[in-house]
Amino acid sequence: MDQAPGRPNETQGRLLRLSTAALDKELDEHVGNKACPKDAAAHSTRQRALFFVPGRVEVMGKHTDYAGGNSLLFASADRGIAMSSAMLVEEDEGGGPGAGLRVTVLSVLPVGMEHHCTEGSTCSYEVEGRPVVRYTVSLPDDGGGECPRDWRVYPSATIARLHLNFDLLSCFPDGERRHILISMCSNLPPASGLSTSSAIVTGIFLVLDSHLKMRHTSTYREAIGEDENAVCNLSTYLGNAENGRDYFKPDRSVVLKGTVRGGVGTFGGSEDHAAILTGKPGRLRLLSFCPTRPASFSMGGIFDDLSMRSIVGGSESRPI
């Protein structure tokens, strides 16, 4: 995983350009609709973040992450999700006193995914001929909204879990109202086994943390930690955010509760998130699980001369 990569490869650069183009168009719409003051929109350009979140490739170790086994993994340098974001300061629109947060997620749809274009969610603009869809989560949430069943379930479940555990509104002690825009552009083939869902969950956490500084809170430091195992603990937490279960610190001293609605509707462990967060270019990563940790034995250079090529095939998969 790379934040604001200094030297993205050609594929990463193209995805980042597309996601940033959609973000810029959305910002233009906000200024045009007077959803935020112009000076706030200008200020948002100094509160931007860029991430490339790679897809996960599993070489060996199927279904071991929630059973305490080992997995041999790597993160793809050419397949993943680019995320561009900005945070706006919004004027109070009569919502009453107190802090408020809106998170709008934009998705630049790949070719063949136009079925995600639904009434009310499709943006008025396109990016290089591709439609863009949006979904907004508002906090505080009255809890009365219907739980989405399509791609929107990933940002919805992730933001709900982060708010439950870290109280995202506490980041604005002066009662400010903020709007975070997150634009995604992916080249991960759908239903390909490259863990698109975990990439979205991980990416949304990274973007929100870059703006809201959850890592600086006492809750995060106590539950996830700040030592060499923190990134592994974070992987476990994000796996729990995805599957909806409670997170336990490995020594069982701290628990972060799961949500009533559950996660995104899948059951899994932290393998995908660990590969995304700890992967290095051109390197295989051997990890053990329950708890998530680097494996206790070395591969001894067995795969040093190995080259990998991924080929995606299979039938088209669409949500019901």
Side-chain angles (χ1 to χ4, degrees):
M1 180 280 304
D2 293 312
Q3 179 182 10
R7 292 183 179 179
N9 64 32
E10 183 177 351
T11 301
Q12 294 172 0
R14 173 169 171 74
L15 292 173
L16 287 165
R17 286 192 296 273
L18 289 171
S19 65
T20 302
L23 178 64
D24 289 340
K25 288 177 181 289
E26 188 74 9
L27 285 170
D28 289 343
E29 281 202 355
H30 274 261
V31 173
N33 295 334
K34 297 183 179 180
C36 65
K38 290 187 177 181
D39 58 344
H43 183 59
S44 73
T45 62
R46 301 194 297 272
Q47 300 185 52
R48 292 201 180 202
L50 292 174
F51 288 91
F52 177 78
V53 186
R56 181 271 303 138
V57 179
E58 180 183 79
V59 180
M60 290 188 290
K62 196 72 173 174
H63 297 300
T64 60
D65 52 347
Y66 48 85
N70 299 311
S71 291
L72 186 63
L73 312 158
F74 70 90
S76 173
D78 296 310
R79 294 282 187 175
I81 303 175
M83 291 191 174
S84 306
S85 68
M87 183 163 68
L88 308 174
V89 180
E90 292 193 320
E91 294 180 321
D92 188 351
E93 298 178 350
L101 174 66
R102 290 196 296 159
V103 181
T104 294
V105 181
L106 309 167
S107 180
V108 182
L109 295 180
V111 175
M113 300 295 287
E114 292 81 2
H115 58 279
H116 284 301
C117 293
T118 57
E119 184 177 356
S121 70
T122 306
C123 299
S124 61
Y125 54 83
E126 294 184 344
V127 174
E128 294 191 7
R130 298 187 187 187
V132 180
V133 292
R134 71 161 66 89
Y135 175 63
T136 298
V137 176
S138 297
L139 299 175
D141 180 10
D142 60 10
E146 182 180 354
C147 185
R149 296 180 179 273
D150 53 12
W151 71 275
R152 300 171 297 170
V153 70
Y154 303 112
S156 175
T158 305
I159 294 167
R161 179 63 179 263
L162 294 177
H163 183 47
L164 173 67
N165 296 149
F166 300 109
D167 185 11
L168 300 184
L169 296 182
S170 68
C171 299
F172 315 120
D174 297 327
E176 297 169 326
R177 308 187 72 84
R178 301 293 180 99
H179 192 175
I180 298 176
L181 305 175
I182 305 173
S183 176
M184 307 188 302
C185 185
S186 171
N187 68 349
L188 290 170
S192 62
L194 292 174
S195 198
T196 304
S197 61
S198 298
I200 295 175
V201 170
T202 303
I204 288 177
F205 168 82
L206 293 170
V207 169
L208 292 182
D209 180 59
S210 71
H211 291 293
L212 304 180
K213 312 302 181 188
M214 286 176 281
R215 295 175 199 251
H216 296 173
T217 64
S218 59
T219 300
Y220 185 97
R221 291 195 299 267
E222 292 170 3
I224 309 298
E226 299 177 285
D227 60 11
E228 66 276 6
N229 293 321
V231 67
C232 292
N233 294 341
L234 175 59
S235 302
T236 301
Y237 171 74
L238 293 176
N240 293 140
E242 187 166 340
N243 64 36
R245 294 193 166 197
D246 296 346
Y247 163 83
F248 292 91
K249 195 173 183 179
D251 63 5
R252 313 290 285 190
S253 62
V254 181
V255 58
L256 297 178
K257 300 296 290 184
T259 56
V260 175
R261 292 181 178 177
V264 305
T266 60
F267 176 77
S270 58
E271 172 190 295
D272 306 336
H273 317 80
I276 290 169
L277 289 171
T278 69
K280 302 293 183 183
R283 298 286 185 89
L284 291 170
R285 185 72 166 161
L286 187 64
L287 296 169
S288 63
F289 299 94
C290 298
T292 307
R293 292 291 183 264
S296 58
F297 59 91
S298 170
M299 298 303 293
I302 296 173
F303 296 102
D304 286 352
D305 299 323
L306 184 68
S307 296
M308 294 281 186
R309 175 171 294 182
S310 60
I311 300 174
V312 179
S315 60
E316 182 181 12
S317 176
R318 292 189 179 187
I320 298 175

